[in-house]
């Protein structure tokens, strides 16, 4: 076949033209779509959790339980973790002493690190939403969630709300991943991943940016009582 015939025969030059048109369309999509995609937050599992900042109204250190002017200390906990429950049973007085001290800014970081625990997500998202909406007594609400954790059906919001009310806390709008602000869900996933990548277990204690043994709570409270 002559060189000139190559470009005139539809069976030969047709695919070349089709490929050229397809290439132009793809280039146009890249130019238009890719810059737009940069404004869409990628899934948490595909990005570095350290690059995710807290949503508006929340802090990197967690939910403040009192004055925020002192040295930061964060209790990291999953409401369905039995070890976390024991920590609060045994050290609630120590936590209270540190909350009352002007030298410490105590925070609570609710996380969900158990794959089969929808209830932990409900509790954590509700606590985050409750604080961001101006709600008070975060520690009391956390303890109320903990008290009903074995009674509530993990995916029944109405039941959880009723049980919390029966605990004497009053009505609370329970938040789940289906009705949560997307940024809250992303923040919960990021903080949970940070725990898994850091101490690897809960309860955990973070003093400023360093993880410490949770028993340090008693040591810090003892020092506080000596001042």
């Amino acid at each position: 076949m002559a060189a000139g015939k190559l470009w005139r025969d539809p069976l030969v030059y047709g695919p070349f033209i089709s490929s050229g048109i397809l290439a132009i369309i793809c280039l146009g999509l890249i130019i238009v779509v890719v810059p737009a995609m940069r404004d869409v937050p990628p899934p948490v599992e595909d990005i570095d959790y350290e690059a995710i900042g807290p949503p508006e109204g929340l802090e990197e250190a967690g939910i403040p339980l009192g004055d925020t002017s002192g040295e930061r200390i964060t209790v990291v906990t999953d409401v369905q973790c039995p070890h976390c429950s024991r920590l609060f049973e045994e050290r609630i007085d120590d936590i209270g002493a540190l909350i009352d001290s002007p030298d410490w800014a105590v925070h609570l970081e609710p996380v969900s690190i158990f794959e089969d625990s929808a209830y932990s997500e409900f509790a954590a998202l509700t606590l985050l939403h409750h604080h961001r909406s101006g709600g008070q007594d975060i520690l009391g609400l956390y303890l109320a969630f903990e008290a009903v954790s074995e009674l509530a059906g993990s995916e029944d919001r109405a039941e959880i709300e009723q049980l919390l009310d029966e605990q004497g806390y009053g009505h609370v709008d329970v938040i789940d991943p289906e009705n949560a602000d997307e940024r809250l869900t992303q923040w919960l996933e990021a903080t949970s991943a940070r725990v898994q990548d850091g101490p690897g277990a809960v309860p955990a204690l973070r003093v400023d940016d360093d993880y410490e043994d949770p028993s340090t709570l008693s040591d810090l409270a003892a020092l506080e009582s000596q001042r």
Side-chain angles (χ1 to χ4, degrees):
M1 182 183 294
K5 178 69 173 175
L6 176 66
W7 297 103
R8 290 194 298 270
D9 190 333
L11 294 177
V12 177
Y13 65 74
F16 283 94
I17 295 175
S18 298
S19 298
I21 294 173
L22 181 60
I24 292 172
I25 292 173
C26 290
L27 180 60
L29 288 173
I30 291 173
I31 292 173
V32 173
V33 175
V34 170
M37 289 177 61
R38 293 173 183 166
D39 296 329
V40 179
V44 169
E45 59 268 20
D46 293 339
I47 60 178
D48 184 355
Y49 65 84
E50 292 182 347
I52 301 175
E56 184 178 356
L58 296 175
E59 300 179 25
E60 185 77 36
I63 304 174
L65 300 180
D67 186 11
T68 59
S69 60
E71 186 176 357
R72 293 194 316 273
I73 182 169
T74 302
V75 181
V76 186
T77 178
D78 185 309
V79 74
Q80 284 197 291
C81 165
H83 302 292
C84 298
S85 178
R86 188 160 56 249
L87 174 76
F88 282 97
E89 288 178 7
E90 296 176 351
R91 308 194 191 280
I92 191 65
D93 290 341
D94 296 333
I95 294 171
L98 295 171
I99 291 173
D100 293 338
S101 170
D103 298 319
W104 294 98
V106 183
H107 294 73
L108 183 74
E109 183 172 87
V111 296
S112 179
I113 65 170
F114 303 110
E115 292 183 359
D116 59 348
S117 175
Y119 183 80
S120 293
E121 291 186 358
F122 280 48
L125 289 171
T126 301
L127 286 160
L128 292 169
H129 174 79
H130 187 68
H131 165 65
R132 194 167 69 164
S133 301
Q136 303 297 314
D137 192 19
I138 294 296
L139 182 57
L141 180 55
Y142 173 85
L143 294 175
F145 266 110
E146 189 179 77
V148 303
S149 63
E150 295 183 2
L151 304 175
S154 62
E155 297 183 5
D156 190 333
R157 290 171 49 204
E159 180 189 12
I160 296 172
E161 290 175 352
Q162 179 180 347
L163 289 169
L164 289 172
D165 196 6
E166 291 174 357
Q167 285 292 314
Y169 192 85
H171 177 74
V172 176
D173 291 325
V174 171
I175 307 298
D176 66 29
E178 296 298 321
N179 70 340
D181 179 344
E182 183 179 357
R183 289 285 291 139
L184 283 186
T185 304
Q186 188 181 55
W187 180 242
L188 174 59
E189 291 176 344
T191 52
S192 299
R194 177 169 63 183
V195 174
Q196 292 169 324
D197 191 41
V202 287
L205 186 70
R206 208 167 53 244
V207 180
D208 285 335
D209 295 324
D210 298 322
Y211 284 103
E212 306 279 353
D213 190 287
S215 64
T216 304
L217 280 169
S218 294
D219 299 333
L220 296 176
L223 287 173
E224 191 60 37
S225 65
Q226 296 171 7
R227 292 179 178 177

Short mmCIF file of all heavy atoms in Angstrom, two decimals, residues 198-223:
data_model
loop_
_atom_site.label_atom_id
_atom_site.label_comp_id
_atom_site.label_asym_id
_atom_site.label_seq_id
_atom_site.Cartn_x
_atom_site.Cartn_y
_atom_site.Cartn_z
N GLY A 198 -0.34 5.48 66.95
CA GLY A 198 0.47 5.94 68.09
C GLY A 198 0.56 4.87 69.15
O GLY A 198 1.28 3.88 69.00
N PRO A 199 -0.20 5.02 70.26
CA PRO A 199 -0.11 4.01 71.31
C PRO A 199 -0.67 2.67 70.89
O PRO A 199 -0.33 1.64 71.46
CB PRO A 199 -0.94 4.62 72.46
CG PRO A 199 -1.87 5.56 71.78
CD PRO A 199 -1.11 6.12 70.62
N GLY A 200 -1.59 2.66 69.91
CA GLY A 200 -2.13 1.40 69.40
C GLY A 200 -3.22 0.81 70.26
O GLY A 200 -3.69 -0.30 69.99
N ALA A 201 -3.63 1.50 71.32
CA ALA A 201 -4.65 0.99 72.22
C ALA A 201 -5.25 2.14 73.00
O ALA A 201 -4.69 3.23 73.06
CB ALA A 201 -4.05 -0.04 73.17
N VAL A 202 -6.39 1.88 73.60
CA VAL A 202 -7.03 2.83 74.51
C VAL A 202 -7.27 2.11 75.83
O VAL A 202 -7.38 0.88 75.86
CB VAL A 202 -8.36 3.37 73.93
CG1 VAL A 202 -8.10 4.34 72.81
CG2 VAL A 202 -9.27 2.24 73.47
N PRO A 203 -7.35 2.84 76.94
CA PRO A 203 -7.23 4.30 77.03
C PRO A 203 -5.79 4.75 76.79
O PRO A 203 -4.84 3.99 76.97
CB PRO A 203 -7.66 4.60 78.47
CG PRO A 203 -7.26 3.36 79.22
CD PRO A 203 -7.52 2.23 78.28
N ALA A 204 -5.66 6.00 76.38
CA ALA A 204 -4.35 6.59 76.16
C ALA A 204 -4.36 7.99 76.76
O ALA A 204 -5.42 8.59 76.96
CB ALA A 204 -4.02 6.64 74.67
N LEU A 205 -3.19 8.49 77.04
CA LEU A 205 -3.06 9.82 77.63
C LEU A 205 -2.03 10.59 76.83
O LEU A 205 -0.93 10.09 76.56
CB LEU A 205 -2.61 9.70 79.09
CG LEU A 205 -2.57 11.01 79.89
CD1 LEU A 205 -3.98 11.52 80.14
CD2 LEU A 205 -1.85 10.80 81.22
N ARG A 206 -2.40 11.80 76.43
CA ARG A 206 -1.48 12.64 75.68
C ARG A 206 -1.23 13.92 76.48
O ARG A 206 -2.17 14.65 76.80
CB ARG A 206 -2.08 12.98 74.30
CG ARG A 206 -1.06 13.23 73.24
CD ARG A 206 -1.64 13.25 71.83
NE ARG A 206 -2.76 14.15 71.65
CZ ARG A 206 -3.98 13.74 71.34
NH1 ARG A 206 -4.26 12.47 71.17
NH2 ARG A 206 -4.96 14.62 71.19
N VAL A 207 0.03 14.14 76.85
CA VAL A 207 0.41 15.36 77.55
C VAL A 207 1.12 16.24 76.53
O VAL A 207 2.20 15.88 76.05
CB VAL A 207 1.31 15.07 78.76
CG1 VAL A 207 1.70 16.36 79.47
CG2 VAL A 207 0.62 14.13 79.73
N ASP A 208 0.50 17.37 76.22
CA ASP A 208 0.89 18.16 75.05
C ASP A 208 0.80 17.24 73.84
O ASP A 208 -0.26 16.75 73.54
CB ASP A 208 2.26 18.79 75.24
CG ASP A 208 2.18 20.00 76.19
OD1 ASP A 208 1.09 20.59 76.30
OD2 ASP A 208 3.19 20.31 76.83
N ASP A 209 1.90 16.94 73.18
CA ASP A 209 1.84 16.10 71.99
C ASP A 209 2.43 14.72 72.21
O ASP A 209 2.55 13.93 71.27
CB ASP A 209 2.57 16.78 70.82
CG ASP A 209 1.89 18.06 70.38
OD1 ASP A 209 0.65 18.11 70.42
OD2 ASP A 209 2.60 19.02 70.04
N ASP A 210 2.79 14.40 73.45
CA ASP A 210 3.46 13.12 73.73
C ASP A 210 2.52 12.18 74.48
O ASP A 210 1.85 12.57 75.43
CB ASP A 210 4.72 13.36 74.57
CG ASP A 210 5.75 14.20 73.84
OD1 ASP A 210 5.90 14.02 72.62
OD2 ASP A 210 6.41 15.03 74.50
N TYR A 211 2.52 10.92 74.06
CA TYR A 211 1.70 9.92 74.73
C TYR A 211 2.40 9.45 76.00
O TYR A 211 3.61 9.20 76.00
CB TYR A 211 1.43 8.73 73.81
CG TYR A 211 0.39 9.01 72.76
CD1 TYR A 211 0.75 9.27 71.44
CD2 TYR A 211 -0.97 9.03 73.09
CE1 TYR A 211 -0.22 9.54 70.48
CE2 TYR A 211 -1.94 9.30 72.13
CZ TYR A 211 -1.56 9.55 70.83
OH TYR A 211 -2.52 9.83 69.88
N GLU A 212 1.62 9.35 77.07
CA GLU A 212 2.12 8.89 78.37
C GLU A 212 1.26 7.72 78.83
O GLU A 212 0.15 7.51 78.33
CB GLU A 212 2.04 10.02 79.41
CG GLU A 212 2.74 11.31 79.01
CD GLU A 212 4.24 11.25 79.25
OE1 GLU A 212 4.69 10.24 79.83
OE2 GLU A 212 4.94 12.20 78.86
N ASP A 213 1.76 6.98 79.82
CA ASP A 213 0.95 5.92 80.42
C ASP A 213 -0.24 6.55 81.13
O ASP A 213 -0.07 7.56 81.84
CB ASP A 213 1.80 5.12 81.42
CG ASP A 213 1.07 3.87 81.87
OD1 ASP A 213 0.11 3.99 82.66
OD2 ASP A 213 1.47 2.77 81.46
N PRO A 214 -1.46 6.00 80.97
CA PRO A 214 -2.63 6.60 81.62
C PRO A 214 -2.51 6.73 83.14
O PRO A 214 -3.15 7.59 83.75
CB PRO A 214 -3.77 5.65 81.25
CG PRO A 214 -3.33 5.04 79.95
CD PRO A 214 -1.83 4.90 80.07
N SER A 215 -1.67 5.89 83.77
CA SER A 215 -1.48 5.99 85.22
C SER A 215 -0.84 7.31 85.61
O SER A 215 -0.88 7.70 86.79
CB SER A 215 -0.62 4.82 85.72
OG SER A 215 0.70 4.90 85.17
N THR A 216 -0.28 8.02 84.63
CA THR A 216 0.31 9.33 84.90
C THR A 216 -0.72 10.31 85.45
O THR A 216 -0.38 11.27 86.13
CB THR A 216 0.93 9.91 83.60
OG1 THR A 216 1.88 8.97 83.08
CG2 THR A 216 1.63 11.23 83.84
N LEU A 217 -2.00 10.05 85.18
CA LEU A 217 -3.06 10.90 85.71
C LEU A 217 -2.96 11.02 87.22
O LEU A 217 -3.10 12.11 87.79
CB LEU A 217 -4.44 10.35 85.32
CG LEU A 217 -4.95 10.63 83.92
CD1 LEU A 217 -6.18 9.77 83.62
CD2 LEU A 217 -5.26 12.11 83.74
N SER A 218 -2.74 9.89 87.89
CA SER A 218 -2.63 9.90 89.35
C SER A 218 -1.41 10.67 89.81
O SER A 218 -1.46 11.41 90.81
CB SER A 218 -2.58 8.47 89.89
OG SER A 218 -3.80 7.81 89.65
N ASP A 219 -0.30 10.51 89.11
CA ASP A 219 0.92 11.23 89.47
C ASP A 219 0.72 12.74 89.35
O ASP A 219 1.13 13.52 90.23
CB ASP A 219 2.08 10.78 88.58
CG ASP A 219 2.39 9.30 88.73
OD1 ASP A 219 2.11 8.75 89.80
OD2 ASP A 219 2.90 8.69 87.77
N LEU A 220 0.10 13.16 88.25
CA LEU A 220 -0.12 14.59 88.03
C LEU A 220 -1.09 15.16 89.07
O LEU A 220 -0.90 16.25 89.58
CB LEU A 220 -0.68 14.82 86.62
CG LEU A 220 0.25 14.45 85.46
CD1 LEU A 220 -0.47 14.64 84.13
CD2 LEU A 220 1.52 15.28 85.50
N ALA A 221 -2.14 14.37 89.39
CA ALA A 221 -3.10 14.83 90.41
C ALA A 221 -2.45 14.91 91.79
O ALA A 221 -2.74 15.82 92.56
CB ALA A 221 -4.29 13.88 90.44
N ALA A 222 -1.54 13.97 92.09
CA ALA A 222 -0.85 13.99 93.38
C ALA A 222 0.04 15.23 93.48
O ALA A 222 0.10 15.88 94.53
CB ALA A 222 -0.03 12.72 93.54
N LEU A 223 0.73 15.55 92.40
CA LEU A 223 1.56 16.76 92.40
C LEU A 223 0.69 17.99 92.57
O LEU A 223 1.07 18.94 93.25
CB LEU A 223 2.35 16.85 91.09
CG LEU A 223 3.50 15.88 90.90
CD1 LEU A 223 4.07 15.97 89.50
CD2 LEU A 223 4.59 16.12 91.94
#
